[in-house]
Amino acid sequence: MTASASAIFRLALVLCASLCASCVPVMQKHSSNQLADSLPRAPFNEWSYAKNARAQIRKAIHLSQPQPADAAAILLSTARELAPHKSQTTWANHAYQLALGLGVQLVHEEQLWGQHLQHKHYSVIPPSSCSVSQTYINCIDNLKYAGQYNTPALQPTILDAGTGAPMVAFTDWTEERVNSYPFIPKVGQIYSLTVTAQWLDSQAVEFTLSDSRSNPNLSANYSVPTAFSETLTKELKYQGILNVLRPARGVSSMGLFSLDPVDPQRIPIILVHGLAASPNLWVKPSHNLLQNETIRDNYQLYAYFYPTGLPISHSAARLKKEIRRLETYLKQHGAGSKADQMVIIGHSMGGLLTSAVTRDYRGAASELYTKSVDSLTAESKGKDAIKELLEQPPLDCVTRAIFIATPHRGSKYADNWIGQFTSHLIEIPKNIVGIDPQHYRHDLTQAGREIFNMQEGMDGVQRLRYNNPALKYNLSRPKLPQVTYHSIIGDRGWGGKLENSSDGIVAYSSSHLEGVASELVVPSWHNAQDNDEAIEEIIRILKLHLH
């Protein structure tokens, strides 16, 4: 098989694997009949209250579409009747959560706040508004009961048993809200809340929505919010591919985003995707991490999005700036030392960005340029990126980095005809083209000319060429002293010695780093971030990080 045929074959394998993975639905909503049947018959010794409660809940479920106000009255009145029993049996607690969760969902969806809801002898008066407690976001645009969804592709389901009903909250992204919630994703914030009820009399009730993470005694479902996020960010998979060829389309979306409402009391984990990818890459790995209670209780997940067709140095400079912005925000909101313990996890090209922002580049400008950065013949955004990466103080808030399938020395696939053809198609935005040394070659030192090969472009694909001088220079820069490195490397299992192995895209010789605290080789192709052994290794490292 020729090299080009082999490349096409491997690309086909990757596409087939992606298509097969998508055959398993990430989330399924129960139909009315399925939801009604999800509440089984109660044990005989509970029939005194359970038989009627089950019948009314089933009736209300079927009324929820044609008569939502009537359904809400039945559900909330039934929840009130079940309240004295919910702590005594599993069945009563399940029925209570179902009635309360669906009832509150209907009140919110139909804006029935403060209205007197009646259906025959059932009567309830919801509050005029819902109290939001212990969460950093108090604008809720949509609210759904989590128990009406299954997540087949995200297993096992992450559940916390406790008081209240598990809900999924949605807060839309708007330009105005970014001022208050600067790390809200463009698709909106999707997160787990728990609703609890306090009955004031035979009709009036008060609801409180709490961040499910704030109290281990609250009922919660963390899988359903993750499934909604995967569904809403699915189009980013295709945007990630387009952003290789037309990175200008993704520049306005660049940034660091929180996967849950920001909690300054949790240690940030920053996830950085690789070539032709997007934050959607991290949906399943993040779900796997959150299955571990220690990780869930101590860490906050963030994802960095960037168009991977941009010059790697530009994307790394923006990542460094975003991390500094996060550090400032967290400390302004009481984070204390938690903001100085950040962890970065980078996959593939994302690992190169991670490496760049955790190395000391002080003094590099004088090694590469014959004049000050401000005097370079380059566009302003290009110079800003150079100054951020080379002249701004190194980050002191990151103390650990995990590299997954990272081509520290490049990949031979960037050298073959597919890589060269792809690079030829890439159009870097005009206001960033000025970062290309071709535009200020006379300002480069001899070392700068050797590092920035004048015959190569500056796009992300070209900078992944095997033994690229720029990658070698990055590895020559000293690691920041407070940062501990770890490597996770894929081996596709084609036999032979470890030093000759590969994940199908990146050779072991490129992923291997000397001086790391740990290195684990897992049986995986390039998508090692999904590998079970890799997830266990990340969990081990993150637990170690807490001590």
Side-chain angles (χ1 to χ4, degrees):
M1 184 180 290
T2 65
S4 60
S6 176
I8 294 174
F9 174 70
R10 290 171 187 172
L11 181 61
L13 283 179
V14 172
L15 292 174
C16 288
S18 176
L19 288 172
C20 290
S22 65
C23 292
V24 179
V26 174
M27 183 173 62
Q28 295 173 328
K29 183 180 180 181
H30 292 306
S31 66
S32 295
N33 288 334
Q34 290 172 328
L35 193 57
D37 291 342
S38 70
L39 185 61
R41 294 181 182 275
F44 183 75
N45 61 351
E46 297 178 52
W47 271 28
S48 59
Y49 67 88
K51 184 177 180 180
N52 180 66
R54 181 174 183 267
Q56 294 307 315
I57 291 173
R58 290 170 62 87
K59 175 182 178 181
I61 288 172
H62 292 294
L63 279 177
S64 60
Q65 289 296 325
Q67 298 171 260
D70 289 19
I74 298 172
L75 288 167
L76 295 176
S77 296
T78 304
R80 181 183 63 230
E81 294 172 0
L82 288 167
H85 309 282
K86 60 184 173 65
S87 61
Q88 298 173 8
T89 71
T90 301
W91 186 93
N93 189 55
H94 179 196
Y96 175 80
Q97 288 185 347
L98 185 60
L100 177 61
L102 290 176
V104 172
Q105 174 180 316
L106 285 172
V107 169
H108 187 83
E109 286 180 347
E110 303 298 327
Q111 290 300 295
L112 302 174
W113 301 106
Q115 298 184 30
H116 190 177
L117 307 179
Q118 286 184 298
H119 177 79
K120 297 182 179 178
H121 65 281
Y122 291 104
S123 178
V124 66
I125 305 174
S128 58
S129 64
C130 189
S131 172
V132 181
S133 171
Q134 296 176 308
T135 180
Y136 290 89
I137 292 183
N138 54 18
C139 302
I140 299 172
D141 297 299
N142 205 347
L143 193 62
K144 296 184 180 295
Y145 171 56
Q148 63 189 311
Y149 299 95
N150 279 338
T151 56
L154 299 175
Q155 292 293 324
T157 305
I158 307 173
L159 298 172
D160 277 348
T163 60
M167 309 295 288
V168 185
F170 302 79
T171 298
D172 297 336
W173 182 95
T174 66
E175 291 185 0
E176 295 76 16
R177 285 178 179 172
V178 170
N179 295 324
S180 300
Y181 314 119
F183 299 98
I184 185 172
K186 289 292 181 71
V187 297
Q189 197 84 69
I190 308 167
Y191 49 105
S192 175
L193 290 181
T194 305
V195 62
T196 53
Q198 181 180 359
W199 305 96
L200 305 180
D201 54 38
S202 61
Q203 293 183 328
V205 61
E206 287 185 353
F207 301 130
T208 299
L209 287 167
S210 302
D211 186 334
S212 302
R213 304 170 299 172
S214 65
N215 187 334
N217 296 318
L218 293 175
S219 175
N221 184 320
Y222 295 102
S223 295
V224 173
T226 304
F228 268 107
S229 295
E230 200 282 339
T231 300
L232 293 176
T233 61
K234 187 171 292 186
E235 66 180 37
L236 291 180
K237 292 181 181 179
Y238 312 107
Q239 186 178 343
I241 296 172
L242 290 174
N243 283 343
V244 177
L245 303 177
R246 299 293 182 271
R249 297 183 179 184
V251 169
S252 62
S253 299
M254 286 182 77
L256 190 62
F257 304 101
S258 174
L259 304 191
D260 282 301
V262 172
D263 184 349
Q265 301 309 314
R266 296 171 187 271
I267 298 172
I269 297 175
I270 298 168
L271 306 170
V272 188
H273 64 79
L275 182 68
S278 73
N280 184 274
L281 173 93
W282 297 107
V283 170
K284 291 182 180 179
S286 64
H287 182 266
N288 292 337
L289 290 177
L290 292 175
Q291 289 175 10
N292 186 280
E293 188 175 357
T294 300
I295 306 304
R296 206 161 62 239
D297 290 345
N298 291 278
Y299 289 97
Q300 170 97 47
L301 296 173
Y302 298 80
Y304 176 61
F305 175 67
Y306 64 104
T308 55
L310 287 180
I312 292 176
S313 56
H314 184 89
S315 300
R318 179 63 181 271
L319 173 60
K320 182 179 176 183
K321 186 175 182 178
E322 289 289 292
I323 292 174
R324 185 178 288 111
R325 184 168 72 99
L326 175 62
E327 176 192 16
T328 300
Y329 178 86
L330 292 176
K331 289 184 175 179
Q332 288 174 345
H333 291 79
S337 62
K338 297 291 178 68
D340 294 325
Q341 302 174 44
M342 295 188 195
V343 179
I344 311 180
I345 304 177
H347 173 257
S348 194
M349 181 189 283
L352 297 179
L353 272 60
T354 301
S355 178
V357 301
T358 55
R359 293 183 181 275
D360 192 345
Y361 270 88
R362 285 176 293 190
S366 61
E367 293 179 3
L368 303 175
Y369 307 112
T370 59
K371 57 177 67 173
S372 69
V373 175
D374 285 326
S375 302
L376 295 176
T377 310
E379 298 288 341
S380 59
K381 286 192 176 182
K383 289 191 283 190
D384 288 345
I386 296 170
K387 287 193 288 187
E388 179 65 54
L389 197 58
L390 305 187
E391 295 188 340
Q392 288 296 322
L395 296 172
D396 56 7
C397 56
V398 177
T399 56
R400 201 173 295 269
I402 303 173
F403 301 107
I404 304 177
T406 298
H408 295 289
R409 298 167 187 83
S411 170
K412 292 182 180 179
Y413 280 93
D415 293 272
N416 68 19
W417 68 271
I418 292 178
Q420 295 304 300
F421 181 67
T422 302
S423 179
H424 179 72
L425 296 177
I426 293 174
E427 292 183 4
I428 299 178
K430 292 182 179 180
N431 60 347
I432 297 176
V433 169
I435 198 174
D436 192 331
Q438 295 268 16
H439 292 260
Y440 51 92
R441 58 173 63 86
H442 301 298
D443 301 336
L444 290 168
T445 64
Q446 181 59 37
R449 293 191 187 95
E450 293 174 359
I451 290 170
F452 301 114
N453 187 332
M454 290 305 164
Q455 304 305 314
E456 294 184 351
M458 284 290 288
D459 60 80
V461 174
Q462 279 291 334
R463 288 308 174 197
L464 287 176
R465 295 186 69 178
Y466 195 72
N467 279 329
N468 185 290
L471 296 181
K472 287 184 176 180
Y473 184 72
N474 179 64
L475 289 177
S476 74
R477 303 304 304 181
K479 175 181 69 67
L480 296 177
Q482 83 278 4
V483 179
T484 301
Y485 279 172
H486 303 267
S487 292
I488 298 175
I489 300 171
D491 180 357
R492 62 189 170 184
W494 284 16
K497 295 181 179 179
L498 176 63
E499 56 267 27
N500 297 327
S501 67
S502 168
D503 64 14
I505 299 295
V506 180
Y508 173 83
S509 58
S510 181
S511 291
H512 173 73
L513 276 183
E514 295 291 341
V516 297
S518 66
E519 176 184 279
L520 178 68
V521 178
V522 299
S524 171
W525 287 68
H526 193 55
N527 59 336
Q529 77 283 352
D530 291 329
N531 180 272
D532 289 341
E533 292 181 31
I535 294 297
E536 287 302 315
E537 173 69 356
I538 295 171
I539 291 173
R540 181 194 71 81
I541 294 169
L542 294 176
K543 286 182 176 179
L544 179 68
H545 189 68
L546 296 173
H547 302 290

